[in-house]
Amino acid sequence: MRRKVIAGNWKMNMLPNEAIEFVQKLEPLVKDTKNEVILCVPYTDLFYTLNMAQGTNIKIGAQNMHYESKGAFTGEVSAEMLKCIGVEYVIIGHSERRAYFAETDETVNKKLKSALKNELKPIVCVGESLEQREKGETKDIITNQTRLALEGLSPEEVEKVIIAYEPIWAIGTGKTATANDAEESIHAIREEISKIYGQDTSDRVIIQYGGSVKSSNSQELFSMPDIDGGLVGGASLDANEFAKIVNFEN
Ligand code: PGA
C-alpha cells in the first residue's frame, strides 16, 4: 500500500526565527504519525529548519532549483547545492513558478532529471486553470503535463517522483476541488502513467492533491483511493492546523 505524504509549502513566508519556532511547535504534535511529513521552506530557512528537524520525523524540502549543476546563473541554486546541505525534497513546476517565472514543461523535465541525478526527491506540480476546466480540458492538460514532466525517465525513476495535482483555481482561493473531482483527476494521471510506464509503476507512484487543503477537508480528500496526501500552502503556516492535516488516519 502507498504511504500518505503531507508536505507544507510555505511559499515566500517565514523568517528564520519564525521557522525555528514553527518546527519546535510542530515536532511534538506530529511525532507519532505514520504519514510522511515534509516542510518545503524558503532557501533562507533551509539551514535553520534542517538543524531543528534533525532526529525528528520532519523532512525538509526546497521550493525550486535550477537544472544546471553550476555556472553563470546569478541568483539560482542547483540540486547539488541543496543535496549537500541535507535537503531531501524539492518542489518542481509549481503553478506560481509556471505563471510568474516562465517555468515550462521543458524546464520542469530538465529540473526533474537533475533532481533525481542528485538523489533529491522531486514533488512535481501539475494542474489546470479555471478556463481550461470550464472548457472541459482538465484531463488533457494534466495528463499532458505529467507525460512531459516525466519524459525520458525510467519506470524506476518515475516511482521516486511525487506528483502533486493542484488545480490552479483552487490554490490560495479557499475553493477546494471536491473529493470526487480530485480523485477523478488523480486517477486520470495514474492511468496515464500506467499507459507509459506500466501498472506496477503507476500503483507505486505517490500522487498528492493540493489547493486550499485544510483540516476541515483533508480527511475526506486523503481517504480517496488514489489520493496519497497533500501539498498544503496557506494551512501549513499554522503549526496546529498543519499538524491536524498531517495526523490523518485512514
Ligand atoms: P494553498 O496552496 O493550500 O494555499 O491553496 C497550495 C499550493 O500552492 O501548493
Side-chain angles (χ1 to χ4, degrees):
M1 222 185 73
R2 291 184 301 268
R3 65 196 193 281
K4 300 282 181 196
V5 180
I6 292 105
N9 173 13
W10 281 358
K11 309 193 180 186
M12 198 171 72
N13 293 292
M14 297 274 198
L15 298 173
N17 61 323
E18 296 168 323
I20 290 169
E21 265 175 45
F22 185 99
V23 179
Q24 276 171 336
K25 198 165 167 193
L26 183 69
E27 191 275 324
L29 301 175
V30 300
K31 67 176 176 20
D32 296 323
T33 184
K34 290 191 202 72
N35 305 325
E36 202 161 325
V37 195
I38 308 167
L39 291 174
C40 295
V41 308
Y43 292 134
T44 45
D45 290 334
L46 284 172
F47 177 77
Y48 301 97
T49 47
L50 281 164
N51 270 344
M52 293 306 300
Q54 243 176 43
T56 77
N57 60 338
I58 301 169
K59 318 259 174 77
I60 301 299
Q63 299 171 8
N64 182 37
M65 51 166 268
H66 197 277
Y67 51 80
E68 293 290 352
S69 56
K70 60 170 80 166
F73 300 101
T74 303
E76 292 294 325
V77 169
S78 72
E80 194 182 346
M81 289 168 173
L82 295 173
K83 180 70 189 176
C84 89
I85 63 163
V87 172
E88 223 177 305
Y89 290 85
V90 60
I91 298 175
I92 292 177
H94 189 279
S95 62
E96 284 152 18
R97 297 217 56 89
R98 293 182 193 247
Y100 311 139
F101 302 98
E103 193 85 85
T104 63
D105 290 324
E106 193 189 342
T107 58
V108 168
N109 178 252
K110 284 183 175 170
K111 289 181 180 193
L112 200 49
K113 287 177 177 158
S114 173
L116 290 169
K117 197 172 126 208
N118 288 284
E119 292 176 347
L120 284 176
K121 298 173 189 160
I123 303 175
V124 182
C125 303
V126 299
E128 81 287 359
S129 66
L130 185 57
E131 199 190 338
Q132 290 163 335
R133 171 157 286 255
E134 283 170 351
K135 284 200 209 143
E137 297 171 354
T138 299
K139 190 174 166 191
D140 284 350
I141 295 288
I142 60 177
T143 53
N144 207 33
Q145 282 178 340
T146 303
R147 187 171 44 73
L148 294 173
L150 302 178
E151 204 162 72
L153 302 189
S154 65
E156 294 71 35
E157 286 174 318
V158 170
E159 285 175 25
K160 293 180 186 152
V161 176
I162 295 174
I163 296 172
Y165 165 61
E166 298 205 305
I168 297 168
W169 48 270
I171 295 178
T173 57
K175 283 188 214 154
T176 321
T178 63
N180 284 329
D181 280 348
E183 168 65 20
E184 195 185 329
S185 292
I186 289 177
H187 189 73
I189 294 170
R190 218 177 272 294
E191 273 184 347
E192 182 72 10
I193 294 174
S194 170
K195 262 194 259 164
I196 308 171
Y197 300 96
Q199 189 66 43
D200 285 354
T201 298
S202 160
D203 285 343
R204 285 191 199 119
V205 68
I206 300 285
I207 311 182
Q208 301 172 312
Y209 167 79
S212 298
V213 173
K214 324 182 244 301
S215 61
S216 56
N217 58 28
S218 53
Q219 185 72 30
E220 194 190 358
L221 285 159
F222 300 172
S223 299
M224 300 307 277
D226 280 296
I227 304 183
D228 307 320
L231 183 57
V232 185
S236 75
L237 296 170
D238 179 294
N240 287 316
E241 171 68 1
F242 186 57
K244 282 189 205 158
I245 299 170
V246 166
N247 288 324
F248 164 83
E249 276 182 45
N250 245 344

